[in-house]
Amino acid sequence: MDKFSQRSEAKEWMDDLQCSGRELDQTIRELKTINRLLGGNSVTTSGLDYLMRQRPQEQYAIADLGCGGGDMAIWIKKWSLQKGHDCKVTGIDANPNIIALARERCRAAGMEVDFNVANVFDPGFLQQGTDLITCTLFTHHFTNEELISLIGNLKQSGSIGIVINDLHRHFLAYYSIMGLTSLFSRSAMVKNDAPLSVLRAFSRNDWEHILKAANVEKFKISWNWAFRWQVICWF
């Protein structure tokens, strides 16, 4: 069977919640560079902009799930300040080592962002009053069944909506990132996880199935460079 025909369920090294140390730090730094150079950050913030225009209000509480080293949460905070939005941003990740790194980076950036250690499948992990939820390169870590459950729960938690920014499962994306990381990466974790993340990624049909199974009625799916799906759900 063509390995691109369906999602892989192989685990990435980063899925180990105990991973830490120099390898993790190098991985987080390289992923930040890759995401910035390929324009991935704007996929999340343009989704937030769409939802904010739909539901304008004086303040927004934003939860960034699977925040990793905090780069996206910090980016969202900077973007919100530039746009003149009053936003409280909270990054959430299940790995305490990554959250410690995110807090260090936040202090260095001089940004006011909160970071919490929490498992997104635990009841009540999300703060009450959360308006918007973002998931950037996070959802591909889970099976379809896990995502149906997670999005169904988030639907009850986010008062406005969810922005998902994740990869398109495509042979060109797979072989491109494999070549780039083999040439330029100094992280064994990146060399392993980056191509595998593409195999764990999504087709449009995957997203349509997941959202309908989670009983999400209002959503928009759009393709963005470089090989990203932007999925916006609103309630």
Side-chain angles (χ1 to χ4, degrees), residues 50-221:
Y50 179 88
L51 290 176
M52 288 176 173
R53 285 187 283 110
Q54 297 285 326
R55 295 275 297 277
Q57 55 190 54
E58 291 185 2
Q59 296 178 318
Y60 297 93
I62 302 173
D64 182 45
L65 307 190
C67 66
D71 298 321
M72 193 69 241
I74 294 169
W75 181 278
I76 291 170
K77 184 64 176 183
K78 289 180 178 178
W79 170 84
S80 69
L81 292 171
Q82 291 170 356
K83 289 288 186 177
H85 296 305
D86 183 359
C87 295
K88 177 185 177 183
V89 181
T90 302
I92 297 172
D93 202 285
N95 186 330
N97 302 309
I98 286 180
I99 287 294
L101 179 60
R103 287 170 176 156
E104 290 179 11
R105 292 185 163 205
C106 187
R107 284 193 292 269
M111 288 288 107
E112 187 176 345
V113 179
D114 293 331
F115 291 98
N116 296 332
V117 178
N119 189 312
V120 297
F121 291 98
D122 289 342
F125 83 93
L126 204 59
Q127 295 178 354
Q128 289 188 346
T130 298
D131 300 303
L132 296 161
I133 299 165
T134 61
C135 304
T136 301
L137 300 181
F138 178 59
T139 52
H140 70 263
H141 290 276
F142 305 107
T143 65
N144 287 3
E145 291 72 22
E146 288 170 332
L147 287 175
I148 291 166
S149 175
L150 175 61
I151 293 173
N153 291 335
L154 295 179
K155 180 183 173 184
Q156 309 302 319
S157 304
S159 64
I160 296 178
I162 307 169
V163 178
I164 297 170
N165 168 2
D166 219 319
L167 300 169
H168 176 198
R169 188 176 69 254
H170 191 279
F171 74 92
L172 186 55
Y174 176 78
Y175 289 111
S176 295
I177 199 65
M178 179 179 286
L180 287 171
T181 54
S182 65
L183 287 173
F184 299 110
S185 176
R186 293 188 295 169
S187 165
M189 186 182 292
V190 168
K191 291 178 182 180
N192 179 80
D193 284 4
L196 179 54
S197 66
V198 177
L199 297 181
R200 293 180 58 126
F202 305 90
S203 66
R204 181 182 291 272
N205 287 340
D206 291 328
W207 275 122
E208 289 176 347
H209 164 71
I210 290 166
L211 295 173
K212 290 175 181 177
N215 295 315
V216 176
E217 298 177 355
K218 299 177 182 179
F219 62 85
K220 182 168 77 81
I221 303 171

Side-chain angles (χ1 to χ4, degrees), residues 13-28:
W13 292 1
M14 192 172 282
D15 290 327
D16 178 4
L17 298 183
Q18 302 304 313
C19 67
S20 61
R22 292 183 179 179
E23 182 70 21
L24 177 62
D25 185 56
Q26 178 68 21
T27 297
I28 294 296

